[in-house]
Structures are given as C-alpha cells and as structure tokens.
Amino acid sequence: MSKPKAVILTHGELDSMYAKTCHGLLRGTDRYEIVGVVDYKYAGRSTTSVLPIVKDVPILASIGDCSDDGIAWCIVGVAFEGGVMPDAFRDQLIEAVKSGMSVVNGLHTQLNDDVEFMQLARSQGVEVIDIRRPKKVSELSFWTGKIKDVQAPRVAVLGTDCAIGKRTTCRFLLEQLAENGVNAQMIYTGQTGWLQGYPHGCILDSTLNDFVSGELENAVLECDQNMHPDLILVEGQSSLRNPSGPCGSEIIISLQSKYVVLQHDPSKEFFEGGEEYGFRIPDLKSEIELIRMLGAEVIAVTLRPSKDQISELDIGSMSQELGMMVQWATEAGIIAVSDLIQERVLSS
Amino acid sequence: MSKPKAVILTHGELDSMYAKTCHGLLRGTDRYEIVGVVDYKYAGRSTTSVLPIVKDVPILASIGDCSDDGIAWCIVGVAFEGGVMPDAFRDQLIEAVKSGMSVVNGLHTQLNDDVEFMQLARSQGVEVIDIRRPKKVSELSFWTGKIKDVQAPRVAVLGTDCAIGKRTTCRFLLEQLAENGVNAQMIYTGQTGWLQGYPHGCILDSTLNDFVSGELENAVLECDQNMHPDLILVEGQSSLRNPSGPCGSEIIISLQSKYVVLQHDPSKEFFEGGEEYGFRIPDLKSEIELIRMLGAEVIAVTLRPSKDQISELDIGSMSQELGMMVQWATEAGIIAVSDLIQERVLSS
C-alpha cells in the first residue's frame, strides 16, 4: 500500500525543540511519505545537514516552492507550548490549501472552527484534520479496572522532562524488540504518535481530565485484543514533577505498568521553560524512588545523546550509583536495554 | 442580596456517595437558597432524618410535588462515575423546566447539546447551565510559572480516596480560619465548589488535560489579586494513587503548595469502586512520604468521622506513629487543625 506524499511545515522552527513533531516524522512514519520540509530559515539545504539521524529530504522556503504536484498533505510540524497557531503558519497553510493539499494540524487551535479557512478548504475539496480536537464525552471511555485482565506486561517509557526523546527511545525499543522476534506494541499518547501511524493510543493533552485514565486503559485493552502483544510499551508525556503539567502517574497506576525505562538528558538542569523561575529537574535517584512509590520499577535509564557528553560522562559509575543499567539512547544502548527488557519483563 | 430558591434532584440516590453534590449544597451554599430535595425513596421525610449535619429541608417525591412556585432552580445533585445522565433524571428535569425552573447540571452529559431539551427550555424562557461544559482552548490558561510571585501560602486539602470529605473539611477550615480573623480563601476544583458559590477555581474533571495546571494557576493568581488572602486553601480531587484517575500532583507541584492537610477514612480498605479488582488504598505513612517527595509537607491528618470509630480508634497513638496531628474532622478537630495552620503556615 503506497503512502500519501506529505510536506512538513516548520516555518523557522526546524531546529528548535518545538519542532519535535517534525523530528519524529523525519525519523519515521507509517502514515505518510515525507518528501520535504517547508522552513524559510534553512531553505536550500537538506534536513540531514540541520538535524542528525533523520530522513534526508529537501528544505523549501515556502509552500509556493513545492514543485511536486503529487503532494497530498501539509503537516504542521511544531507543537508550541499552549498550542496556539501563529498567523504566519496559518498563512502558509492557506497557500497549502490553495495548492490542493489537505492539512493535518496538531496544535490546540482548531482549524475546523476557523470559518474562513474551512470555506477555502471546502472550495478546494481538501481535508482538514485537527488531531488534538477534543473528543465528545459520549466518545470517551471511563476507567473500569479491566486493565487487571490484560496479561501483556506494560513498560512505561517515562522521562525527567518533556521534549527529551521519550517517544524516540520508545520507537527504537519497539523496532529492536521486533527485530528480536518479540511482538511488542506501543501505546502513543501524543499527536506525533498518531502522525507516525501507531494504531493504538490517545492524545492525552486534548483529553478531558476525568477521562485520561479511561482513554489510556481503553487503548491498552484494544491493543491487547487486536494485536495479542507479548508486551506493551507506553509512551510517556511531560514528567512526574514537571510543574507546567505533571504527568505519568496515570501511566503507572491506571495502566498498572510495573516497569519503567527512564529517559534523561544529563545536560539539562531546569525544566523546559522553567529556567526563569528556577524550576529544577529533580535528581535521578529521587525520580527513581518516586516511581517506586507509585508502584513501578525503573529497570534502565536511557540518556539523550550529545557528542560532548558521550565522551565525558562516566556512565559506568552512574550505573553503579543508581544500581541499574544506564545507556546512551544510541544503537548499542537500545540493543542493551531491549535485551534487558526481554530478560527482566518477559521471563518473569 | 437574596439568593434564588432551588430544589436538589437526587432521585433515589440521596444517601449514596454519588449524591455528594447534594450533601455539599445542604451543608451550605452562597449561591442558592435550598428549599427542598426531590427523591422518591425518602419522600415525606426531611433531610436531617436521612443525613447528619445538614440543612433540614423537606424531601418530595417528584418535581410535580414542589408546591412553592417561587422555586427558580432545579439542581442535579448527583455526580455518577463517568457522569452520564440516566433517563429518569432527564424526565424529572423536563418536569422542572415545564414548571418554569431553570436547570443546573454538573454531569458530563451536556443538556445544552440535547436539542429537544433546549427547545423546551427556550419555549419556557428558562436557563440551562452545564457546569462541566468544557471551556474552549481560547478561554483556557496555560501554566506560566507566575505562581512563584504569589506570596500567600497554599495549603492543599488532599485525601486518600475520592468522596471522603475533602471539600467539607476544606469548607470547615475556611470558616474556622475566618472566625479567627484570617483572610483565607478557597480554590474550588469540582462542580460542587462552583455550586456553593466560591468565586475562584476551576472544574478539573472537564478541563483539557494540557490546561489543568494553567487553569489552577490562573485561579490562584486571580484569587490573590482580587482578595489579597493571607493564605489559600486548595480543594483536592480524587487521590494521588487512585487508579481511576490519580490527581493531586498538579496541586502540589504546579501551585507550589508547601503544606497539605490529608483527609482519610479509616474504615475504607479499597478505593471507591476498586473493590472488585482489589485496588487497595495505600497506608497513611506511605501517602505522607509520597507527598513529601512531591515537595509538600503533610501538617495534619483529618479523619472522616463515623460514630463507631470515634469511640474505638486511638488517634493518640496514630498521631504519635505518624509524627503529626491527627484529628477527627468534627468541630473540635477542625479548630485544632485551623490553629495549627495559623501557627505553622502563617508564622513561618
């Protein structure tokens, strides 16, 4: 089955952490064939010259520069804090619609509520998907406790902050486990997971708070029924003590996830956006202890790689101090953690 | 300013824990004058014969039996798990509208989306308020960190389960502190708090998950600006480890609440609704430790009173074991905890 061609709009944000949606899509998606990125700042270059370890596609200055007329979709590739769409993005999306592209948008701003935009989309006969459009209460699931009937163990891939590579580590683990012949499935919890084409999950951000645990549980129940997995990886969001929106206890407690892989960035001192007010990321020992109190065991720490640190940091003594496996989230590290998961989770 | 007269509809649930909205309103509301309860099971009796320590009003069999034609509002007095409105409640509300009453509903079911119901309401010229109607993204606040600028200390009234009296203890503390001359304000976090007329708060249940911390922060910022409080009490929801929807870390972390009063029911072994699957309430020591790890200190435990236990339980040794004040949430207990809050929170 051929995938529809798509470009990703980042409009000056390609190398910022807000473009993590774009970065995730360039690492891989089963839903689209990514043929370009639209970003005026890096126009003329290619993505691999700006970002490491991603699919190599050309960077264009504007939607008007997309010469391939087979491009069916324009994907908003950024996720700003608060999720409000800047006018400049909307202008580019109008160009996309005028060129006959359908639009997929993961910001909280709902294009489907934008009367002018939708009139244009209808006249062009294109689709407009707002991924974070909140579901109605009648479509939402309430938590039931049936999670206790699911035999496949849950491994949560949590992190010590937002935007430090939880989803990517989760994806790498999934691929490595598959390579080892394990039927592992991933529950996505953010818009990029949906864009990447994972079949089971929910978008926590745009779920009414009372239904977060139920939507998560329902995604696991459906995944279990449809895919008969050996184990289930659950993508984390934010972090347990991120003041801008603590998250993770639902994943441990409501999903009865007994194992955690904890993603950490040793170069970060403050929570993303928390520098001004001095909100510090807690140390790893205390985060591991907090996870234990919530009912799960951290079996490995995965570190977001940065070239300088890989040479400098002594992960051997870090591992000894924490009493568990610590690995850079690079290929060798992922293989080691994946082996550990098989050994610890599947044989128990 | 006279308050509008209202009846509360509980329809057979008056003495169940689902009717906690009704119980809260019968303990006191600044928004309405409660003149009756509609509950076919207890019709002919009065509320004090069914429930302790509440306002004494007559119980009527049906809306048709409300003879006082000055009743302006009918309030849905129950909050079922999942929040879906049963047909029998809707039928009674149709009667209420036909009698010229406006309706206020705190279930997730939105009467404003019920075309037939709204046609009737319009033809009768009455109002229909869905308290849990989710706000649009454009009306929601994102967390900013400005909470650090608020001088008034925050005391969170959390609990070890849902529906064990957190809001009531919070209200009692508020009243006692006012009596002692302290300008304490409460941030409500549920529909009953809104119904009781507190001016600042948000309804966590029906808030999109990404905005929970921001809506809480905004409520505190507004409260601080408008009321210049000496201290702020924050009503908790659910509990930190309730599997059907863990809640509380936003209140501690995002609001930087440094103090906690922890409400507990010593007669309960399992989480509400968690008996079937054996979800046990963690012991108090571990809950207090968890709260410490999240950044706050439990300064007192308040126990939900039941007559049998008051005579049986040795709260002296319980207090010694936990190393803190333990009190029944009765008048004497509330006075003691209120004094402790003044001593510990206001003089520090």
Side-chain angles (χ1 to χ4, degrees):
Chain A
M1 200 175 70
S2 77
K3 297 182 280 186
K5 286 186 185 175
V7 289
I8 307 172
L9 176 65
T10 54
H11 201 69
E13 301 285 344
L14 179 58
D15 67 344
S16 92
M17 71 122 192
Y18 294 121
K20 61 180 182 169
T21 303
C22 170
H23 305 163
L25 285 167
L26 288 173
R27 279 198 197 88
T29 164
D30 301 320
R31 203 180 281 274
Y32 305 100
E33 182 195 345
I34 305 297
V35 297
V37 165
V38 177
D39 197 300
Y40 63 89
K41 270 197 199 161
Y42 300 95
R45 295 170 62 177
S46 75
T47 45
T48 47
S49 76
V50 181
L51 301 163
I53 342 173
V54 294
K55 184 181 163 78
D56 196 26
V57 295
I59 304 173
L60 308 156
S62 69
I63 290 287
D65 291 346
C66 299
S67 54
D68 183 344
D69 58 6
I71 301 172
W73 290 90
C74 177
I75 304 169
V76 178
V78 294
F80 298 112
E81 253 184 31
V84 178
M85 182 175 296
D87 286 345
F89 272 76
R90 184 175 178 277
D91 292 345
Q92 284 291 302
L93 293 177
I94 286 176
E95 289 310 307
V97 171
K98 284 184 180 165
S99 316
M101 297 181 198
S102 289
V103 168
V104 55
N105 158 45
L107 294 172
H108 282 303
T109 298
Q110 304 291 304
L111 290 172
N112 278 279
D113 292 340
D114 184 331
V115 176
E116 197 188 356
F117 194 90
M118 292 308 293
Q119 270 173 352
L120 178 68
R122 267 189 297 273
S123 73
Q124 292 286 320
V126 301
E127 270 186 84
V128 178
I129 299 179
D130 290 311
I131 318 176
R132 285 210 275 194
R133 189 157 191 90
K135 284 190 195 176
K136 289 182 190 159
V137 168
S138 56
E139 301 162 345
L140 290 164
S141 302
F142 202 72
W143 187 85
T144 62
K146 284 186 192 145
I147 188 72
K148 280 239 171 162
D149 298 333
V150 176
Q151 297 299 312
R154 276 76 71 194
V155 179
V157 181
L158 305 184
T160 53
D161 194 4
C162 53
I164 56 167
K166 292 183 286 284
R167 196 200 51 251
T168 303
T169 292
C170 200
R171 182 178 180 91
F172 289 164
L173 284 173
L174 195 69
E175 288 169 353
Q176 186 56 41
L177 285 163
E179 201 151 304
N180 295 0
V182 177
N183 176 12
Q185 296 292 326
M186 171 174 146
I187 302 296
Y188 71 83
T189 55
Q191 44 160 328
T192 309
W194 182 90
L195 283 165
Q196 289 183 325
Y198 295 107
H200 299 100
C202 60
I203 298 174
L204 288 192
D205 270 2
S206 55
T207 302
L208 295 178
N209 196 46
D210 208 15
F211 295 96
V212 162
S213 52
E215 286 289 288
L216 279 170
E217 186 191 47
N218 193 48
V220 171
L221 294 174
E222 284 185 1
C223 174
D224 189 53
Q225 197 160 33
N226 299 339
M227 319 295 271
H228 309 290
D230 300 321
L231 76 84
I232 294 172
L233 295 172
V234 187
E235 176 197 6
Q237 290 295 326
S238 186
S239 82
L240 286 163
R241 283 182 277 187
N242 187 321
S244 85
C247 184
S249 54
E250 311 86 345
I251 294 174
I252 298 175
I253 294 167
S254 308
L255 294 187
Q256 299 274 292
S257 303
K258 295 298 177 200
Y259 306 95
V260 168
V261 171
L262 185 60
Q263 175 87 358
H264 180 64
D265 183 341
S267 73
K268 287 189 82 171
E269 194 176 343
F270 296 98
F271 282 112
E272 200 63 53
E275 299 82 359
E276 187 191 346
Y277 285 98
F279 288 100
R280 269 174 208 283
I281 298 177
D283 70 59
L284 273 171
K285 265 200 170 164
S286 133
E287 198 75 355
I288 291 164
E289 176 59 15
L290 178 59
I291 290 167
R292 194 190 61 75
M293 292 209 65
L294 293 170
E297 182 197 354
V298 179
I299 58 172
V301 170
T302 47
L303 301 175
R304 176 190 225 179
S306 104
K307 272 182 193 155
D308 299 350
Q309 290 171 333
I310 287 189
S311 55
E312 282 168 22
L313 205 77
D314 178 3
I315 65 167
S317 55
M318 203 172 160
S319 164
Q320 204 159 20
E321 202 196 335
L322 297 174
M324 67 184 62
M325 180 180 280
V326 178
Q327 292 283 349
W328 292 106
T330 51
E331 200 182 337
I334 292 299
I335 292 175
V337 175
S338 157
D339 286 349
L340 181 72
I341 290 176
Q342 281 187 254
E343 196 185 302
R344 287 290 310 281
V345 179
L346 289 182
S347 64
S348 64
Chain B
M1 201 175 69
S2 78
K3 296 182 280 187
K5 287 186 187 176
V7 289
I8 307 172
L9 176 64
T10 53
H11 200 69
E13 301 285 345
L14 178 58
D15 67 344
S16 93
M17 72 122 191
Y18 294 120
K20 61 180 183 169
T21 304
C22 170
H23 305 162
L25 286 167
L26 288 174
R27 279 197 197 90
T29 164
D30 301 321
R31 203 179 281 273
Y32 306 100
E33 182 196 346
I34 306 297
V35 297
V37 165
V38 176
D39 197 299
Y40 63 90
K41 270 198 199 160
Y42 301 95
R45 295 170 63 177
S46 75
T47 46
T48 46
S49 77
V50 181
L51 302 163
I53 342 172
V54 294
K55 184 181 162 79
D56 197 25
V57 295
I59 304 174
L60 308 155
S62 69
I63 290 288
D65 291 346
C66 300
S67 54
D68 182 342
D69 58 7
I71 301 172
W73 290 89
C74 177
I75 304 169
V76 178
V78 294
F80 298 111
E81 254 185 31
V84 178
M85 182 175 296
D87 286 344
F89 272 77
R90 183 174 178 276
D91 293 345
Q92 283 291 302
L93 293 176
I94 286 176
E95 290 309 307
V97 171
K98 284 184 180 165
S99 317
M101 297 181 198
S102 289
V103 168
V104 54
N105 159 46
L107 295 173
H108 282 303
T109 299
Q110 304 292 305
L111 290 172
N112 277 279
D113 292 340
D114 183 332
V115 176
E116 197 188 357
F117 194 90
M118 292 308 293
Q119 270 173 352
L120 178 68
R122 267 190 295 274
S123 74
Q124 292 287 319
V126 301
E127 269 186 84
V128 178
I129 299 178
D130 290 311
I131 318 176
R132 286 210 274 194
R133 189 158 191 89
K135 285 190 194 175
K136 289 182 191 160
V137 168
S138 56
E139 301 162 344
L140 289 164
S141 302
F142 202 73
W143 187 85
T144 62
K146 284 186 193 145
I147 188 72
K148 279 240 171 160
D149 298 333
V150 176
Q151 297 300 313
R154 277 76 71 195
V155 179
V157 181
L158 304 184
T160 52
D161 194 6
C162 53
I164 56 166
K166 292 183 286 282
R167 196 199 51 251
T168 303
T169 291
C170 199
R171 183 177 180 91
F172 289 164
L173 284 172
L174 194 70
E175 288 169 353
Q176 186 56 40
L177 285 162
E179 201 152 302
N180 295 359
V182 177
N183 176 12
Q185 296 292 328
M186 171 175 147
I187 302 295
Y188 71 84
T189 54
Q191 45 161 326
T192 310
W194 182 90
L195 282 166
Q196 289 182 326
Y198 296 107
H200 299 99
C202 60
I203 299 174
L204 289 191
D205 269 2
S206 55
T207 302
L208 294 177
N209 195 46
D210 208 16
F211 295 96
V212 162
S213 52
E215 285 290 287
L216 279 170
E217 186 191 48
N218 193 48
V220 170
L221 293 174
E222 284 185 3
C223 174
D224 190 52
Q225 196 160 33
N226 299 338
M227 319 295 270
H228 309 289
D230 300 321
L231 77 85
I232 294 172
L233 294 172
V234 186
E235 175 197 8
Q237 290 294 328
S238 186
S239 82
L240 287 163
R241 283 182 277 187
N242 188 320
S244 84
C247 184
S249 55
E250 310 87 346
I251 294 174
I252 297 175
I253 294 167
S254 308
L255 294 187
Q256 299 274 293
S257 303
K258 296 298 177 201
Y259 306 94
V260 168
V261 171
L262 185 60
Q263 175 88 357
H264 180 64
D265 183 341
S267 72
K268 287 189 81 170
E269 194 177 340
F270 295 99
F271 283 112
E272 200 61 55
E275 298 84 358
E276 187 192 345
Y277 284 98
F279 288 101
R280 269 174 207 283
I281 297 176
D283 70 60
L284 274 171
K285 265 199 169 165
S286 133
E287 198 75 356
I288 290 164
E289 176 60 15
L290 177 59
I291 290 167
R292 193 191 62 74
M293 292 208 66
L294 293 171
E297 182 197 354
V298 178
I299 57 172
V301 170
T302 47
L303 302 175
R304 176 189 225 180
S306 104
K307 272 181 195 157
D308 298 350
Q309 289 170 334
I310 289 189
S311 55
E312 282 169 21
L313 205 78
D314 178 3
I315 66 167
S317 55
M318 203 171 158
S319 164
Q320 204 159 20
E321 201 196 333
L322 296 173
M324 67 185 60
M325 180 180 280
V326 178
Q327 292 283 349
W328 291 106
T330 51
E331 201 182 337
I334 292 299
I335 292 174
V337 175
S338 158
D339 286 348
L340 181 73
I341 290 176
Q342 281 186 253
E343 196 185 303
R344 287 289 310 282
V345 179
L346 289 181
S347 64
S348 64

